[in-house]
C-alpha cells in the first residue's frame, strides 16, 4: 500500500509543481509572444512574404525610414532615403547604410517595427537585412536593402483604412557572431 505524504510533504510537492509550471510557462512565453506578434502584427511587428503583391491600388502611402543604434555597438546607421511615396501594393526598395566606426570587427542584429502599430499586419517585407546578422570589419561600410510593400487589405480594414503614413524603424544591437556550421562538424583527419 502506498505511503501517504504528510501535510508538509504535500505542501513541498505542490510548491515544486508550481515552480516547475512557472518555469515551463516562462520558457514558452518568449517564443509564444514572438509568434503572436508575427501573426497579428501586434506592437508594429511586420509580416514576411516570399512574393510581392499581385494587386496595386491607386491610393498612395508614404513610408518614412528611421534608424537607431544601441549605445554598445560602435556603428553609425542611417537610412539612405528619409521617405518614399508608393501606391498601396506596389513594391518598394529602400537602403540603409551601416559603418563600423570602431577598431574591431562587430556583429549586429536589427530589431524593427512600424508605426502606427495597426499597420504592422499590412507592412510586408520580402527581403531584409534584418533577417540575418551583419558583421562589419573596422572601418567597413555596407549598404543594406529592404524590399517591401503595403498590403492592399489595409484599406479594407476598418481599423487601419485611414493609415497613409507609416514609419519603418530599425535599431541595431550588438550580438555575438554565430559560430559557423564547421565549428560544430567533426575535425578533418589527415591521411
Amino acid at each position: 500500500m502506498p505511503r501517504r505524504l504528510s501535510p508538509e510533504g504535500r505542501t513541498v510537492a505542490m510548491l515544486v509543481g508550481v515552480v516547475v509550471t512557472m518555469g515551463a510557462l516562462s520558457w514558452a512565453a518568449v517564443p509564444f509572444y514572438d509568434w503572436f506578434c508575427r501573426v497579428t502584427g501586434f506592437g508594429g511587428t511586420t509580416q514576411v512574404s516570399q512574393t510581392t503583391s499581385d494587386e496595386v491600388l491607386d491610393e498612395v502611402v508614404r513610408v518614412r525610414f528611421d534608424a537607431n543604434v544601441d549605445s554598445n555597438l560602435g556603428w553609425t546607421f542611417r537610412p539612405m532615403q528619409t521617405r518614399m511615396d508608393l501606391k498601396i501594393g506596389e513594391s518598394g526598395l529602400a537602403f540603409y547604410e551601416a559603418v563600423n566606426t570602431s577598431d574591431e570587427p562587430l556583429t549586429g542584429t536589427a530589431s524593427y517595427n512600424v508605426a502606427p502599430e495597426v499597420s504592422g499586419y499590412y507592412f510586408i517585407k520580402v527581403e531584409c537585412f534584418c533577417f540575418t546578422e551583419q558583421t562589419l570589419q573596422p572601418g567597413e561600410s555596407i549598404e543594406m536593402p529592404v524590399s517591401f510593400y503595403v498590403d492592399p487589405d489595409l484599406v479594407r480594414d476598418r481599423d487601419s483604412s485611414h493609415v497613409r503614413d507609416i514609419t519603418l524603424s530599425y535599431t541595431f544591437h550588438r550580438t555575438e557572431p554565430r559560430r559557423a556550421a564547421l565549428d560544430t562538424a567533426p575535425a578533418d583527419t589527415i591521411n
Side-chain angles (χ1 to χ4, degrees):
M1 186 157 137
R3 205 173 102 195
R4 300 187 91 195
L5 290 175
S6 67
E8 295 85 10
R10 283 192 299 249
T11 301
V12 168
M14 286 181 5
L15 288 174
V16 167
V18 167
V19 168
V20 168
T21 301
M22 290 176 70
L25 290 173
S26 296
W27 175 82
V30 171
F32 178 76
Y33 182 75
D34 181 56
W35 168 82
F36 175 79
C37 290
R38 282 185 284 118
V39 169
T40 64
F42 181 76
T45 302
T46 63
Q47 305 301 303
V48 177
S49 176
Q50 300 297 318
T51 61
T52 59
S53 176
D54 56 359
E55 178 184 12
V56 177
L57 305 179
D58 281 333
E59 296 187 51
V60 173
V61 64
R62 173 168 288 160
V63 179
R64 298 177 194 276
F65 302 96
D66 179 52
N68 304 283
V69 179
D70 196 1
S71 62
N72 70 347
L73 180 61
W75 288 9
T76 60
F77 176 55
R78 69 177 184 91
M80 298 186 73
Q81 62 287 301
T82 56
R83 71 173 199 234
M84 186 180 293
D85 292 339
L86 298 168
K87 291 183 177 180
I88 294 176
E90 179 182 11
S91 294
L93 181 63
F95 288 88
Y96 282 77
E97 178 186 50
V99 179
N100 181 348
T101 57
S102 77
D103 58 356
E104 63 180 313
L106 293 173
T107 300
T109 304
S111 61
Y112 54 86
N113 68 357
V114 294
E117 289 182 6
V118 69
S119 64
Y121 187 76
Y122 300 103
F123 195 94
I124 314 296
K125 291 183 185 175
V126 179
E127 292 288 331
C128 184
F129 61 88
C130 60
F131 296 159
T132 59
E133 292 179 337
Q134 305 295 323
T135 300
L136 298 178
Q137 298 303 313
E140 181 181 8
S141 67
I142 186 172
E143 291 181 10
M144 301 173 291
V146 56
S147 173
F148 64 93
Y149 66 92
V150 177
D151 190 323
D153 284 341
L154 173 91
V155 301
R156 295 184 269 277
D157 182 334
R158 68 181 178 92
D159 293 329
S160 61
S161 61
H162 64 283
V163 174
R164 294 298 179 273
D165 201 353
I166 298 173
T167 300
L168 174 60
S169 181
Y170 289 98
T171 301
F172 255 105
H173 305 275
R174 186 173 185 163
T175 56
E176 293 301 317
R178 292 196 177 114
R179 299 187 86 73
L182 296 176
D183 289 347
T184 59
D188 291 332
T189 55
I190 300 175
N191 293 329

